[in-house]
């Protein structure tokens, strides 16, 4: 757990409450059917990717006791705005990107030398991470998780996946995987990986809600040497002719 203190936002029309929110159709909300979820989210069509969120409020003087209030629309990349004003304790996309999110380790099989035409298995070793912030005097827990992996194999080929791939037994090296690549030319290449993270935050132990926006981190690159393999047939019997070709 890493702790950060961010300056308090301008108070403006702050009242006696602090506010938080979560998607109206959050996991575990049994009272809202799938049909009603679609109907609620369909009302947020002013901009792309709009979702209906449920607002909560708590006394600014404590103890924290979150109460359900109104619903409102939230859009990707836009800061949350509570109807009627008031201090909103939230983590912004800028703050998400300022977190020291550790980049996944980029793995390769084989690790250093691979063969032309054979599948080279690249994979990431990700881990969900959490941080503790202080915003407007409130404790805020942030958790981030990989959402997308952008692979660059070093020969001009790229791939985007939702899964990180993974290592395979040495006996299976050369097999095709969801994140592998077969090089067509020999020589040294530098493979790289950019991971897109999404985040959620919780204020004073309240419900987790999504952070608008994403953060990208770049893993340390890996240099691979692509070699050529040759197969030859020999007719000499080495027991008869120890100096024969291939003996």
């Amino acid at each position: 757990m890493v702790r950060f203190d961010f300056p308090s936002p301008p108070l403006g029309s702050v009242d006696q409450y602090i506010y938080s929110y979560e998607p109206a159709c959050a996991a575990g909300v049994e009272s809202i059917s799938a049909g009603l979820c679609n109907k609620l989210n369909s009302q947020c069509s002013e901009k792309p990717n709009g979702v209906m969120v449920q607002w909560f409020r708590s006394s600014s003087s404590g103890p924290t006791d979150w109460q359900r209030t109104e619903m409102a629309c939230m859009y990707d990349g836009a800061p949350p705005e509570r109807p009627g004003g008031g201090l909103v304790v939230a983590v912004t996309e800028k703050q998400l990107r300022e977190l020291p999110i550790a980049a996944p380790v980029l793995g390769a099989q084989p690790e250093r030398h691979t063969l032309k035409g054979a599948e080279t298995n690249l994979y990431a070793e990700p881990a969900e991470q959490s941080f503790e912030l202080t915003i407007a005097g409130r404790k805020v827990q942030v958790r981030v998780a990989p959402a997308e992996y952008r692979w660059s194999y070093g020969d001009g080929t790229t791939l985007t996946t939702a899964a990180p791939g993974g290592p395979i037994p040495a006996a299976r090296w050369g097999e095709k995987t969801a994140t592998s690549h077969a090089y067509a030319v020999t020589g040294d290449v530098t493979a790289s990986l950019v991971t897109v993270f999404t985040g959620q935050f919780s204020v004073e132990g309240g419900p987790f809600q999504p952070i608008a926006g994403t953060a990208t981190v770049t893993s340390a690159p890996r240099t691979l040497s692509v070699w050529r393999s040759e197969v030859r047939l020999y007719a000499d019997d080495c027991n008869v002719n120890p100096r024969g070709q291939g003996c």
Side-chain angles (χ1 to χ4, degrees):
M1 181 79 71
V2 182
R3 181 188 178 97
F4 289 86
D5 291 332
F6 286 98
S8 301
L11 296 185
S13 58
V14 175
D15 54 25
Q16 69 270 32
Y17 298 105
I18 60 172
Y19 296 88
S20 186
Y21 63 90
E22 70 176 357
C25 298
V29 180
E30 300 177 355
S31 60
I32 300 182
S33 65
L36 181 54
C37 278
N38 293 334
K39 185 176 181 179
L40 286 171
N41 289 332
S42 68
Q43 298 177 37
C44 302
S45 57
E46 182 178 340
K47 300 177 183 178
N49 301 321
V51 295
M52 187 69 72
V53 299
Q54 173 70 62
W55 283 95
F56 298 83
R57 74 179 184 183
S58 176
S59 172
S60 59
S61 60
T64 302
D65 183 17
W66 293 100
Q67 300 175 343
R68 188 183 301 268
T69 60
E70 64 270 277
M71 289 187 179
C73 293
M74 179 177 173
Y75 300 94
D76 278 357
E81 296 181 3
R82 190 190 73 83
L87 173 62
V88 177
V89 179
V91 178
T92 66
E93 183 176 22
K94 180 177 182 294
Q95 290 169 334
L96 173 65
R97 293 180 175 180
E98 290 174 348
L99 295 174
I101 301 173
V105 175
L106 176 58
Q109 291 176 316
E111 294 183 0
R112 179 68 178 84
H113 305 290
T114 188
L115 295 177
K116 171 185 172 181
E119 294 287 340
T120 301
N121 183 40
L122 296 185
Y123 60 93
E125 298 178 352
E128 294 188 1
Q129 301 162 57
S130 62
F131 307 88
E132 187 175 289
L133 318 180
T134 299
I135 301 177
R138 295 286 167 166
K139 293 182 179 179
V140 179
Q141 183 181 3
V142 178
R143 59 190 185 191
V144 299
E148 185 177 271
Y149 300 88
R150 300 172 182 173
W151 312 87
S152 178
Y153 295 100
D155 62 351
T157 305
T158 60
L159 176 69
T160 298
T161 66
I168 58 177
R172 293 176 51 197
W173 287 7
E175 292 184 10
K176 184 175 180 58
T177 69
T179 55
S180 67
H181 177 61
Y183 292 96
V185 179
T186 60
D188 289 343
V189 295
T190 300
S192 59
L193 170 66
V194 173
T195 305
V196 180
F197 282 83
T198 58
Q200 297 178 311
F201 70 95
S202 167
V203 181
E204 296 282 4
F208 274 92
Q209 51 262 342
I211 300 172
T214 60
T216 58
V217 295
T218 302
S219 301
R222 295 190 72 102
T223 299
L224 300 170
S225 293
V226 182
W227 292 359
R228 180 181 62 187
S229 62
E230 294 183 354
V231 177
R232 295 182 179 179
L233 299 177
Y234 299 104
D236 279 321
D237 184 335
C238 293
N239 292 322
V240 176
N241 182 18
R243 296 184 180 181
Q245 188 175 16
C247 295

